[in-house]
């Protein structure tokens, strides 16, 4: 949806050359404008759909209505508290998942026999949808905070492990050989070569796991959650408050996006040396 | 003790899916101090295996590889290894790459001395102005100069080079050959050099060893009669051209043999 509308101005400028106008647009508008443009376009399309009369206005609220609801929830229902609760759950689940996923993913990536043995198991557990686990989680962990965080931990851990070991497998053994010929001991090879080469994969694992954790949030808050964005969405669905559902979904997306941006900025600082397609 | 490197009836077999593959068979070579030895031969003939045994990455199946009279037990800073793929650490700047070896326990020196050594090799390798650059911004030739400087910084006695200029374009390659000769003039080293290029082998080496198709054996050892220091003009020397022709014929025969072996193994 956003792609199609972003392409429009380029077409208006010139039909013959596609790259030159695209470049000149980014030059005249600048990077921030280029990043805001698709959002503006998306909101416009949303308005167009909502007001077109093609769909019932009861089913698709306008962005204005949703924003009004958002503001009402924020000022009267302490929506910020739901945001905080959900963010806290996601971050705790993510932290626990990644803390365990990094060493385990490393061992799996480093030792081929271990990988051969454990890989099917990891993929088996990763494939299980978190919602299907809810009854078991309730039996074993009750209906408190722990149960919700366990769900998020589960999702973050298995995603993190896979991203980690896929990355570790790709580490070029040439660098280890070079370090050895320069006189590095086993400890020095680990600290000075393997650790720096692992950092980018840890960052990727955190980013991917963060996305998966947010995606699992609503499921985890199906477990008797009073507060949290997932709870907001579920309560709204009981009362058919579609504009509230929209507001909740958008909050999740925006917070997830902001957290991902922070991680990217952190990553760019930590692995300045890495080759990137876009400099 | 003038014999620094000795391959004594070395052979190396690797296990394969269908049994085992003999990469090197009954290979003997003695290298004297300060020699520049090139190994030329068909690709996949086991040249890299020979170098890996000397570097200490793999152990021979039978026979012995010794260095200064002692058998090679593992890799060490006395032998700098230069790979075709550079192996420059991407997470370190040019300066930190060159200093890397000097910060390890095996050859640690005081920071002031380390800085001096690094500065010297940055100058010698023509890397001034790029001290703080990350390898991603460097060309292939520059990366290889960083790798060379890094190996030199730990004061290794030997340089083992596995097709070091194979990935470079012709002009850069020529420049790198001359740089290597220049650096060797200022600080001598004993060099084992693997290459596909007969011309490169002749231009750089004091002896050229022609290796047979797999398993690696010595086909012929040729003493290169031209004195050092060598310059570009050597390429136009009639005797150079003659030797080059002779060597090329030898190497070509091995290529043909290798192809024939492949045919046999395919029909068998």
């Amino acid at each position: 949806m956003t792609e199609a509308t972003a392409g429009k101005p380029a077409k208006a400028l010139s039909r013959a050359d596609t790259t030159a106008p695209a470049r000149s647009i980014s030059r005249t508008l600048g990077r921030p404008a280029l990043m805001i443009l698709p959002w503006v376009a998306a909101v416009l399309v949303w308005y167009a759909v909502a007001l077109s009369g093609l769909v019932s206005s009861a089913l698709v609220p306008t962005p204005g209505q949703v924003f009004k609801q958002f503001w009402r929830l924020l000022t009267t229902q302490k929506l910020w508290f739901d945001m905080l609760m959900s963010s806290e759950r996601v971050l705790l689940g993510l932290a626990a998942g990644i803390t365990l996923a990094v060493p385990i993913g490393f061992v799996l990536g480093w030792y081929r026999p271990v990988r051969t043995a454990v890989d099917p198991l990891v993929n088996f557990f990763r494939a299980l949808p978190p919602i299907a686990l809810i009854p078991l989680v309730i039996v074993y962990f009750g209906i408190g905070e722990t149960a919700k965080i366990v769900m998020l931990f589960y999702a973050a851990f298995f995603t993190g492990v896979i991203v980690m070991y896929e990355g570790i497998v790709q580490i070029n053994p040439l660098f280890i050989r070079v370090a050895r010929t320069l006189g590095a001991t086993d400890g020095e090879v680990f600290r000075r070569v393997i650790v720096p080469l692992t950092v980018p994969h840890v960052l990727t694992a955190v980013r991917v796991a963060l996305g998966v954790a947010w995606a699992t949030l609503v499921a985890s808050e199906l477990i008797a959650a009073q507060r949290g964005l997932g709870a907001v969405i579920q309560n709204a669905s009981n009362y058919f408050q579609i504009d509230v559902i929209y507001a909740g979904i958008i909050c999740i997306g925006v917070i997830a996006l902001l957290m991902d941006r922070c991680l990217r900025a952190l990553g760019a600082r930590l692995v300045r040396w890495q080759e990137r397609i876009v400099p | 003790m003038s014999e620094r490197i000795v391959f004594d009836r070395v052979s190396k077999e690797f296990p394969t899916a269908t049994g085992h593959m003999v990469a090197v068979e009954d290979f003997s070579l003695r290298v004297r101090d300060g020699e520049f030895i090139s190994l030329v031969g068909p690709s996949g003939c086991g040249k890299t295996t020979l170098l890996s045994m000397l570097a200490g990455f793999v152990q021979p199946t039978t026979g012995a590889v010794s260095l200064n009279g002692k058998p090679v037990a593992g890799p060490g800073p006395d032998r700098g290894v230069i790979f075709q793929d550079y192996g420059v650490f991407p997470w370190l700047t040019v300066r930190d790459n060159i200093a890397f070896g000097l910060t390890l326990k095996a050859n640690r020196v005081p920071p002031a001395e380390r800085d001096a050594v690094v500065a010297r090799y940055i100058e010698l390798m023509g890397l001034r102005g790029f001290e703080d650059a990350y390898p991603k911004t460097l060309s292939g030739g520059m990366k290889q100069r960083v790798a060379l400087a890094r190996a030199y910084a730990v004061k290794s006695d030997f340089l083992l080079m596995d097709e070091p200029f194979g990935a470079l374009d012709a002009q850069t390659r020529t420049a790198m050959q001359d740089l290597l000769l220049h650096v060797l003039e200022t600080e001598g080293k004993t060099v084992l050099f693997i290459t596909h290029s007969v011309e490169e082998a002749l231009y750089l080496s004091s002896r050229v060893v022609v290796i047979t198709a797999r398993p690696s054996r010595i086909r012929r050892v040729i003493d290169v009669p031209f004195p050092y220091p060598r310059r570009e003009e050597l390429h136009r020397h009639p005797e150079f051209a003659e030797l080059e022709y002779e060597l090329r014929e030898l190497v070509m025969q091995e290529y043909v043999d290798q192809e024939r072996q492949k045919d046999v193994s395919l029909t068998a």
Side-chain angles (χ1 to χ4, degrees):
Chain A
M1 172 167 75
T2 51
E3 258 182 84
T5 41
K8 253 179 209 161
K11 212 179 270 174
L13 275 171
S14 156
R15 243 172 288 163
D17 187 350
T18 48
T19 54
R23 222 178 294 132
S24 78
I25 284 177
S26 80
R27 208 178 302 130
T28 45
L29 292 179
R31 246 173 85 86
L34 207 64
M35 283 161 77
I36 290 169
L37 210 65
W39 296 98
V40 175
V43 169
L44 287 179
V45 169
W46 181 4
Y47 257 118
V49 171
L51 299 176
S52 66
L54 289 171
V55 286
S56 159
S57 60
L59 295 180
V60 180
T62 62
Q65 285 170 306
V66 170
F67 183 78
K68 216 182 284 167
Q69 271 300 344
F70 168 76
W71 193 249
R72 186 186 64 82
L73 290 169
L74 200 63
T75 47
T76 65
Q77 306 283 310
K78 294 192 182 153
L79 183 66
W80 54 267
F81 184 70
D82 297 292
M83 294 183 189
L84 209 67
M85 280 300 285
S86 290
S87 300
E88 191 186 306
R89 286 171 185 148
V90 164
L91 290 179
L92 281 174
L94 179 73
I98 288 297
T99 308
L100 211 62
V102 166
I104 290 178
F106 182 85
V107 170
L108 284 180
W110 202 252
Y111 301 101
R112 204 195 161 102
V114 183
R115 183 163 66 252
T116 313
V118 182
D119 182 75
L121 206 64
V122 171
N123 277 294
F124 170 82
F125 282 113
R126 188 182 65 132
L128 303 181
I131 291 187
L133 300 173
I134 289 178
L136 289 178
V137 172
I138 292 175
V139 170
Y140 300 134
F141 298 96
I143 54 168
E145 270 315 286
T146 318
K148 299 169 188 74
I149 291 165
V150 163
M151 295 264 294
L152 295 166
F153 160 80
Y154 184 93
F157 171 75
F158 283 105
T159 310
V161 161
I162 288 180
V163 174
M164 262 306 280
Y165 86 61
E166 294 283 357
I168 298 298
V169 167
Q170 284 169 29
I171 286 184
N172 188 347
L174 177 65
F175 297 125
I176 296 163
R177 283 197 161 185
V178 167
R180 291 214 187 280
T181 64
L182 291 167
T185 60
D186 285 350
E188 283 170 329
V189 167
F190 183 78
R191 278 195 317 280
R192 308 276 311 272
V193 177
I194 295 170
V195 168
L197 285 172
T198 303
V199 171
H201 302 300
V202 174
L203 287 167
T204 313
V206 172
R207 278 186 64 194
V208 177
L210 177 73
V212 173
W214 275 109
T216 314
L217 176 77
V218 178
S220 86
E221 291 183 350
L222 278 172
I223 307 174
Q226 304 298 313
R227 302 301 301 245
L229 292 169
V232 167
I233 292 170
Q234 280 156 43
N235 291 337
S237 80
N238 290 339
Y239 299 103
F240 208 66
Q241 293 173 297
I242 290 193
D243 42 7
V244 176
I245 296 177
Y246 267 79
I249 291 171
I250 291 171
C251 280
I252 290 179
V254 168
I255 298 175
L257 181 71
L258 290 177
M259 285 187 176
D260 186 65
R261 284 274 140 185
C262 291
L263 281 176
R264 269 171 75 157
L266 180 74
R269 281 184 65 93
L270 283 177
V271 289
R272 238 177 320 162
W273 51 270
Q274 236 189 355
E275 306 210 28
R276 288 200 180 75
I277 320 285
V278 183
Chain B
M1 260 303 282
S2 68
E3 274 174 0
R4 305 294 299 272
I5 301 170
V6 176
F7 286 89
D8 187 22
R9 309 205 62 174
V10 169
S11 70
K12 178 71 189 173
E13 293 173 10
F14 290 106
T16 60
T18 53
H20 58 91
M21 182 265 277
V22 184
V24 178
E25 192 175 76
D26 199 19
F27 183 95
S28 294
L29 180 71
R30 289 159 194 280
V31 181
R32 290 181 298 273
D33 191 35
E35 274 197 290
F36 192 121
I37 306 285
S38 284
L39 304 180
V40 293
S43 53
C45 77
K47 301 183 296 273
T48 297
T49 308
L50 285 165
L51 185 133
S52 297
M53 287 191 280
L54 182 58
F57 301 139
V58 294
Q59 294 290 321
T61 311
T62 61
V65 182
S66 51
L67 202 75
N68 296 331
K70 285 187 219 99
V72 172
D78 54 342
R79 284 149 289 154
V81 184
I82 306 290
F83 301 90
Q84 184 176 352
D85 299 329
Y86 323 121
V88 173
F89 300 135
W91 63 94
L92 296 178
T93 59
V94 166
R95 180 185 289 122
D96 291 343
N97 259 288
I98 299 174
F100 184 88
L102 298 175
T103 62
L104 300 171
K105 272 181 225 121
N107 12 251
R108 188 165 288 156
V109 295
E113 190 185 332
R114 187 172 70 218
D115 291 347
V117 172
V118 172
R120 200 168 96 72
Y121 285 110
I122 281 175
E123 193 64 49
L124 194 60
M125 298 293 172
L127 291 166
R128 201 140 57 123
F130 293 91
E131 293 91 336
D132 297 313
Y134 283 100
K136 66 176 175 183
T137 62
L138 303 180
S139 67
M142 289 179 87
K143 283 184 196 167
Q144 201 55 293
R145 279 184 268 161
V146 174
L148 209 49
R150 183 177 57 186
Y152 264 101
V154 295
K155 299 196 174 62
S156 49
D157 295 328
F158 303 94
L159 269 186
L160 318 183
M161 308 179 85
D162 191 355
E163 296 194 40
F165 310 142
L168 306 176
D169 62 78
Q171 286 78 13
T172 312
R173 192 173 182 141
T174 310
M176 287 298 291
Q177 290 168 357
D178 287 327
L179 177 73
L180 180 62
L181 283 175
H182 171 70
V183 176
L184 285 170
E185 277 163 32
T186 33
E187 30 201 297
K189 295 223 189 285
T190 307
V191 186
L192 192 74
F193 191 95
I194 291 179
T195 179
H196 274 122
S197 160
V198 165
E199 183 220 308
E200 181 170 79
L202 270 182
Y203 183 48
L204 298 174
S205 327
S206 53
R207 274 199 291 165
V208 179
V209 178
V210 180
I211 309 281
T212 62
R214 210 169 60 216
S216 284
R217 266 164 295 167
I218 293 181
R219 171 71 192 264
R220 174 97 58 92
V221 179
I222 291 177
D223 286 300
V224 183
F226 314 110
Y228 294 94
R230 293 180 187 166
R231 297 286 174 264
E232 202 50 74
E233 299 80 68
L234 182 61
H235 286 103
R236 292 198 295 271
H237 199 289
E239 206 181 333
F240 187 94
E242 208 168 293
L243 263 176
E244 190 183 337
Y245 179 78
E246 191 184 325
L247 259 173
R248 205 179 293 278
E249 286 290 287
L250 274 170
V251 174
M252 269 317 290
Q253 272 173 27
E254 291 304 326
Y255 269 101
V256 172
D257 280 359
Q258 177 160 300
E259 290 307 307
R260 198 173 295 144
Q261 272 182 25
K262 270 188 207 154
D263 290 345
V264 170
S265 66
L266 280 176
T267 50

